[in-house]
């Protein structure tokens, strides 16, 4: 039986089902205050321990006496602030509180230079001791791998396999699916030349895919710094061709001579008549075609190798890079020196002294100079 009059509709009841309102023995306002007091009291009783724990973990300045126990790996990520780092340390129970950690960081002037990466710390360390570990780059847990300029993909993979905990097959598996490497479209799925030479610090969780991706990303940075794509358009070449030129410059030159060598390469490609007929005649391309060290001196028979990389037989640029160029070679390819040179000869292999000319007879004179040098320095030739 329903009562016509004031009432309330509890959740879940249909519109037609009003329940009879029971009169409260306490006035409405007093009843509400009593109920509120009960709720607040319950929260206080049940929450004091939680609040206290949060203050211990996130604030309040609590600190462990140290020296700590066990081991925990902590990652400092790119963009982390001191507060971010301290929150990570508190969450891993390395430090007792964020406040104590921040105070320790503020007291250590080197804390602004904490490097990205992984660190081995202990649980329940004194905050100042934890910060001392983080400010020392020697404590970074990483595989440091240096990739020199001028190496092929095969040579780079050999170094990675030697310096990390992964075998060659693991890197070859990644390279079999080059679409995962984020190569530029103009690389046509070939990573040759795009694994940038540099020193890398790979964390303990880094995979072969992540390592190779990091190298391609570093190449992209260098290419952007050199203005590779803009320079290619200005010079009348494609970005892929500019990368090929950069790899040839890396193979042939050094230091301040690189922009001149880049100019010689462009001049020879663009000179379709005598005396070069558009032939680069670069020994390093022969060695690449023969899959051997790029510093070997080809024999007369080697010059007849049937390969699109044989620049003694095929005019113009080879199909792609023959090795990984570094910053200097990329900059040289993008910004060649001004000159009409068509030839160059390194006349002193010890100092790297290289002479340039546009005259073929002068070129022959420079070659004789090199031969005289080799006659007295046979161990260098």
């Amino acid at each position: 039986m329903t009562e016509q009059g004031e009432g309330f509709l509890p959740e879940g009841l249909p519109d037609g089902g009003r329940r009879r309102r029971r009169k409260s023995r306490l006035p409405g306002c007093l009843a509400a205050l009593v109920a509120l007091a009960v709720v607040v009291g319950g929260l206080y009783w049940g929450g004091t321990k939680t609040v206290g724990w949060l203050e211990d973990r996130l604030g309040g300045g609590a600190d462990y006496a140290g020296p700590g126990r066990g081991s925990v790996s902590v990652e400092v990520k790119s963009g982390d602030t001191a507060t971010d780092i301290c929150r990570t340390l508190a969450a891993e129970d390395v430090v007792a509180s964020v406040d104590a950690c921040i105070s320790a960081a503020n007291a250590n002037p080197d804390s602004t230079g904490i490097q990205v990466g992984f660190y081995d710390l202990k649980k329940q360390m004194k905050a100042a001791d934890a910060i001392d570990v983080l400010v020392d780059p020697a404590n970074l847990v990483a595989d440091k791998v240096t990739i020199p300029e001028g190496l092929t993909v095969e040579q780079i993979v050999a170094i990675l396999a030697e310096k990390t905990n992964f075998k060659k097959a693991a890197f070859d598996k990644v390279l079999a699916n080059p679409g995962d490497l984020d190569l530029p479209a103009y690389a046509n799925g070939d990573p040759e030349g795009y694994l940038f030479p540099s020193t890398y610090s790979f964390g303990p969780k880094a995979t072969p895919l992540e390592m190779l991706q990091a190298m391609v990303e570093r190449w992209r940075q260098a290419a952007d710094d050199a203005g590779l794509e803009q320079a290619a358009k200005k010079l009348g070449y494609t970005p892929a061709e500019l990368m090929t030129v950069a790899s040839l410059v890396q193979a042939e030159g050094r230091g301040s001579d690189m922009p001149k060598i880049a100019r010689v390469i462009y001049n020879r490609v663009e000179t379709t008549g005598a005396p070069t007929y558009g032939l680069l005649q670069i020994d390093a391309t022969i060695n690449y075609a023969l899959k051997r060290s790029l510093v070997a001196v080809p024999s007369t028979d080697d010059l007849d190798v049937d390969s699109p990389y044989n620049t003694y037989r095929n005019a113009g640029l080879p199909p792609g890079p023959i090795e990984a160029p570094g910053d200097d070679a990329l900059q040289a390819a993008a910004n060649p020196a001004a000159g009409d040179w068509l030839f160059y000869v390194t006349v002193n292999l010890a100092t790297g002294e290289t002479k340039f000319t546009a005259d073929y007879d002068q070129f022959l004179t420079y070659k004789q100079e090199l031969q005289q040098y080799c006659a007295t320095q046979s161990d260098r030739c």
Side-chain angles (χ1 to χ4, degrees), residues 3 6-8 19-28 31:
E3 179 180 7
E6 236 181 68
F8 65 93
R19 291 180 179 172
R20 179 172 297 182
R21 182 179 179 185
R22 297 181 64 183
K23 292 184 178 180
S24 170
R25 295 187 180 183
L26 293 171

Side-chain angles (χ1 to χ4, degrees), residues 37-51:
V38 171
V39 171
V40 172
L43 285 176
Y44 176 79
W45 181 84
T48 48
K49 293 184 73 175
T50 301
V51 171

Side-chain angles (χ1 to χ4, degrees), residues 79-289:
D80 275 0
T81 63
T83 301
D84 294 329
I85 295 171
C86 287
R87 283 175 178 162
T88 300
L89 296 179
E92 294 290 345
D93 197 25
V94 173
V95 298
S97 70
V98 173
D99 280 356
C101 179
I102 291 176
S103 295
N106 289 338
N108 191 324
D110 295 330
S111 64
T112 57
I114 293 175
Q115 297 185 19
V116 171
F118 289 83
Y119 297 83
D120 277 340
L121 296 114
K122 298 179 180 180
K123 288 184 177 291
Q124 301 183 0
M125 298 179 69
K126 187 175 179 62
D129 293 344
I131 295 298
D132 284 344
V133 171
L134 297 181
V135 299
D136 187 353
N139 292 323
L140 274 166
V141 179
D143 290 321
K144 275 195 177 295
V145 181
T146 297
I147 305 297
E149 293 90 348
L151 298 187
T152 64
V153 168
E154 184 177 354
Q155 292 169 323
I156 291 170
V157 166
I159 292 176
L160 291 172
E162 178 186 354
K163 300 295 184 179
T164 69
N165 293 324
F166 296 96
K167 294 183 178 180
K168 177 179 178 294
F171 294 99
D172 288 341
K173 184 177 180 180
V174 174
L175 293 171
N177 296 283
D180 296 333
L181 295 179
D182 195 27
L183 292 165
Y186 51 79
N188 293 319
D190 187 352
E192 192 73 87
Y194 296 90
L195 301 182
F196 196 77
S198 185
T199 296
Y200 297 89
S201 292
F202 298 123
K205 297 181 182 178
T207 65
L209 173 60
E210 290 169 338
M211 294 178 191
L212 295 175
Q213 285 176 332
M215 299 178 76
V216 174
E217 180 59 30
R218 179 63 182 84
W219 163 82
R220 193 175 298 279
Q221 177 188 333
D224 289 344
D225 289 345
L228 184 75
E229 295 185 9
Q230 298 88 334
K233 185 176 181 180
K234 180 179 177 181
L235 293 167
Y237 291 81
T238 67
E241 289 172 332
L242 216 67
M243 276 297 296
T244 300
V245 172
S247 76
L248 298 176
V249 170
Q250 185 67 65
E252 292 289 294
R254 65 173 73 179
S256 60
D257 286 332
M258 283 186 167
K260 290 183 177 181
I261 289 174
R263 174 51 62 194
V264 171
I265 291 171
Y266 288 125
N267 287 348
R268 288 180 73 98
V269 167
E270 295 163 13
T271 303
T272 55
T276 68
Y277 299 99
L279 293 168
L280 290 176
Q281 297 179 318
I282 291 178
D283 290 352
T285 65
I286 300 294
N287 291 325
Y288 184 79

